[in-house]
Amino acid sequence: MTSDFERMLRWAALRVTRPRLAVLTAVHAHPHADTVSIFGAVRRELPEVSHQAVYDVLRALTAAGLVRRIEPSGSVARYESRVGDNHHHVVCRSCGAIADVDCAVGEAPCLTASDNQGFSIDGAEVTYWGVCPECLSAPVTS
Ligand SMILES: [Zn+2]
Ligand SMILES: [Zn+2]
């Protein structure tokens, strides 16, 4: 497992460091986690790591394309390791749970805007909003 992450870092021309490995591991283990939970997971492995260090690593990994940063409106930034497939997200209005949603139909058709306004489009970010199954089945409390 660790050697996979080492390969990913080298592939992205990033030096292999313990904080980078720990952050990559945490993002893989906790998809759509926010900075606070990633920091908690990294701290369990590297107790001496600082909040700023984790934040810097997340920024470097995001810039290198190893990690994708999403920020549904009203939510803090979240990170995931599923990159490069232009998938979308569905967010629960009630508890904030996030799940992955593949492109609306077939092969990345979301990239074909009804009118591209002359832009060359290479990405689309769709956030579907609703209520997750757990919240739907939860008894209503007043
Ligand atoms: Zn929910
Ligand atoms: Zn996702």
Side-chain angles (χ1 to χ4, degrees):
M1 200 62 174
T2 297
S3 61
D4 278 351
F5 295 140
E6 285 184 15
R7 261 199 301 278
M8 288 169 67
L9 287 171
R10 293 211 180 88
W11 175 84
L14 288 175
R15 207 157 49 83
V16 177
T17 64
R18 301 213 336 125
R20 282 175 179 167
L21 285 176
V23 169
L24 259 185
T25 307
V27 172
H28 272 259
H30 311 280
H32 310 129
D34 59 16
T35 320
V36 175
S37 7
I38 292 168
F39 180 63
V42 170
R43 260 288 169 88
R44 279 193 288 278
E45 272 196 51
L46 298 175
E48 74 282 7
V49 83
S50 71
H51 201 279
Q52 187 60 41
V54 169
Y55 185 81
D56 289 346
V57 169
L58 279 171
R59 240 198 346 217
L61 296 179
T62 305
L66 294 180
V67 157
R68 176 172 162 191
R69 179 184 195 272
I70 58 164
E71 198 169 355
S73 65
S75 163
V76 294
R78 289 157 184 278
Y79 296 87
E80 65 182 339
S81 56
R82 187 179 161 186
V83 295
D85 67 351
N86 192 68
H87 74 271
H88 306 307
H89 294 98
V90 58
V91 183
C92 176
R93 288 187 195 282
S94 174
C95 72
I98 299 181
D100 285 338
V101 179
D102 288 340
C103 255
V105 192
E107 191 90 346
C110 320
L111 297 183
T112 312
S114 52
D115 180 355
N116 67 15
Q117 304 281 354
F119 286 56
S120 162
I121 294 173
D122 60 20
E125 235 179 283
V126 177
T127 304
Y128 301 96
W129 294 91
V131 180
C132 76
E134 254 157 69
C135 289
L136 277 176
S137 64
V140 180
T141 49
S142 51

